[in-house]
């Protein structure tokens, strides 16, 4: 079977969304859709997700699943908007999302009845589980490190890695989010992804266009092992962890961290309207200030 992959790039968040489909049977899955959000006005719209929705409709594809690689911290998920157009599509994510829900329920002081069992999603995927979407078969590979709940999806000769690994000239995902681990990321990449056939195509979840180059989104396992600037084949765990942890300490929190996570751990659902029929996001103060700041509440490592 020869599958096709149609990428959609959101320049505002440097995010890649993918429609993966069988051109003969018209079966399809959608990976990591984006809901547009502008934080200054707290305005939301659906342009990015609609690009994928329109493509699915124009190509007369049957959307079986919306797959999230993890609970994103840099953009709001467009999954619920997509489900309005494709109500039979099921929303799936790795089963370890429950760990992220438990962590961030405390950060956002969510109501006691906020579920942390993953029940907001239609399907929780286990390590090695294979989904059938018509003629498509999707294998779930747990790749924790960036978050504890990251999954990579293997479809035919391609993998979709989310934030685990990026294009070779950029490297790997950061590991300083709650539950993140540079040791786990090294293992996920070297002992899982790098064990796949060299010709396996690697589709990344973001491209930050280093040196101002054009957007790129696909490499191969062979190219990653040979050229990944942060984790080439053979780099020791000790060396990688020292580099990754040192670099992460210099990185600012993602611009949409607080807005994104409270929506994404709830399967992309926006907060329910309050008595005045308005929806409100919760923005805690000083949660992620550096530990040396006198009025800090938590650091990323302490959450």
């Amino acid at each position: 079977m020869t599958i096709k992959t149609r990428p959609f790039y959101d320049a505002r968040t440097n995010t890649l969304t993918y429609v993966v489909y069988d051109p003969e049977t018209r079966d399809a899955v959608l990976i990591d859709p984006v809901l547009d959000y502008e934080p200054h006005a707290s305005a939301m719209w659906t342009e990015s997700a609609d690009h994928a929705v329109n493509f699915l409709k124009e190509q007369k594809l049957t959307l079986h699943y919306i797959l999230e690689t993890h609970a994103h911290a840099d953009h709001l998920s467009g999954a619920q908007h997509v489900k309005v157009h494709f109500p039979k599509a099921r929303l799936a994510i790795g089963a370890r999302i429950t760990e992220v829900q438990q962590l961030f329920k405390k950060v956002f002081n969510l109501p006691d009845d906020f579920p942390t069992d993953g029940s907001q999603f239609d399907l929780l995927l286990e390590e090695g589980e294979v989904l059938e979407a018509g003629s498509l078969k999707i294998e779930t590979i747990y790749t924790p490190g960036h978050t504890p709940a990251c999954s990579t999806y293997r479809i035919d000769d391609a993998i979709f890695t989310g934030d685990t690994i990026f294009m070779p000239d950029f490297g790997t995902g950061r590991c300083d989010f709650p539950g993140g681990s540079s040791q786990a990321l090294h293992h996920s990449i070297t002992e899982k992804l790098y064990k796949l056939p060299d010709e396996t195509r690697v589709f990344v979840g973001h491209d930050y266009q280093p040196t101002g180059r054009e957007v790129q989104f696909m490499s191969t396992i062979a190219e990653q092992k040979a050229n990944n600037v942060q984790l080439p084949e053979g780099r020791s765990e000790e060396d990688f962890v020292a580099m990754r942890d040192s670099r992460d300490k210099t990185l600012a929190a993602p611009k949409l961290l607080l807005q994104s996570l409270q929506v994404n751990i709830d399967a992309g659902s926006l907060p329910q309207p309050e008595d005045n029929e308005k929806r409100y996001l919760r923005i805690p103060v000083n949660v992620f200030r550096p530990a040396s700041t006198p009025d800090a509440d938590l650091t990323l490592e302490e959450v």
Side-chain angles (χ1 to χ4, degrees):
M1 181 183 70
T2 301
I3 65 167
K4 288 192 174 183
T5 299
R6 174 66 160 86
F8 298 89
Y9 183 65
D10 173 43
R12 298 181 189 93
T13 62
N14 305 101
T15 301
L16 284 144
T17 296
Y18 298 99
V19 174
V20 186
Y21 66 102
D22 182 337
E24 294 186 3
T25 66
R26 320 310 291 176
D27 296 307
V29 297
L30 176 65
I31 301 174
D32 289 343
V34 173
L35 179 68
D36 300 298
Y37 179 76
E38 197 289 304
H40 299 295
S42 196
M44 298 178 184
W45 66 102
T46 62
E47 177 185 10
S48 295
D50 283 337
H51 288 314
V53 166
N54 293 339
F55 178 81
L56 287 159
K57 291 181 176 180
E58 289 165 1
Q59 297 296 315
K60 297 181 169 57
L61 301 176
T62 299
L63 181 62
H64 293 271
Y65 292 100
I66 304 163
L67 304 172
E68 297 282 11
T69 55
H70 64 294
H72 310 277
D74 45 27
H75 69 269
L76 280 66
S77 169
Q80 295 302 326
H81 174 69
V82 175
K83 291 192 74 171
V84 170
H85 292 270
F86 297 93
K88 292 183 180 180
R90 301 180 72 193
L91 175 57
I93 196 169
R96 292 186 66 184
I97 186 62
T98 57
E99 299 173 36
V100 180
Q101 289 178 325
Q102 290 159 15
L103 280 166
F104 281 95
K105 180 175 182 175
K106 297 175 184 177
V107 170
F108 294 112
N109 194 29
L110 297 175
D112 291 341
D113 60 358
F114 179 85
T116 58
D117 59 359
S119 57
Q120 300 95 323
F121 298 86
D122 299 314
L123 189 63
L124 299 182
L125 301 170
E126 299 292 345
E127 170 82 88
E129 183 172 348
V130 177
L131 280 180
E132 293 192 4
S135 62
L136 301 176
K137 290 182 171 55
I138 306 105
E139 178 188 359
T140 299
I141 304 171
Y142 279 4
T143 47
H146 173 64
T147 80
C150 288
S151 294
T152 289
Y153 298 113
R154 186 181 187 185
I155 308 174
D156 199 26
D157 69 336
I159 57 173
F160 299 83
T161 62
D163 289 13
T164 295
I165 197 167
F166 299 125
M167 294 301 295
D169 61 350
F170 195 82
T172 70
R174 63 193 293 175
C175 299
D176 58 334
F177 295 147
S181 164
S182 51
Q183 292 93 339
L185 187 65
H186 184 274
H187 181 270
S188 293
I189 294 172
T190 62
E191 296 301 319
K192 293 186 177 183
L193 301 188
Y194 283 1
K195 299 298 186 184
L196 296 172
D198 279 352
E199 62 271 18
T200 302
R201 295 178 295 158
V202 179
F203 290 90
V204 301
H206 294 281
D207 187 53
Y208 298 100
Q209 301 174 263
T211 71
R213 62 157 170 74
E214 293 297 313
V215 173
Q216 297 179 11
F217 55 85
M218 188 189 76
S219 62
T220 66
I221 290 296
E223 291 168 347
Q224 291 284 358
K225 291 193 295 188
N227 301 319
N228 189 286
V229 295
Q230 293 179 346
L231 189 49
E233 186 177 32
R235 187 171 196 180
S236 70
E237 177 183 302
E238 181 181 12
D239 198 19
F240 173 75
V241 167
M243 177 282 301
R244 185 70 266 174
D245 290 353
S246 176
R247 175 171 171 76
D248 287 348
K249 290 177 181 178
T250 72
L251 301 178
K255 181 174 66 173
L256 301 182
L257 172 70
L258 295 174
Q259 296 91 336
S260 297
L261 279 170
Q262 63 188 286
V263 170
N264 294 342
I265 63 172
D266 201 16
S269 296
L270 299 178
Q272 290 298 311
E274 298 192 8
D275 293 343
N276 62 356
E277 300 183 356
K278 304 294 184 184
R279 301 177 190 268
Y280 292 87
L281 295 171
R282 293 170 177 252
I283 306 297
V285 175
N286 290 345
V287 170
F288 297 123
R289 297 286 290 278
S292 60
T293 303
D295 59 350
D297 294 328
L298 298 169
T299 68
L300 284 174
E301 293 81 6
E302 292 172 334
V303 175

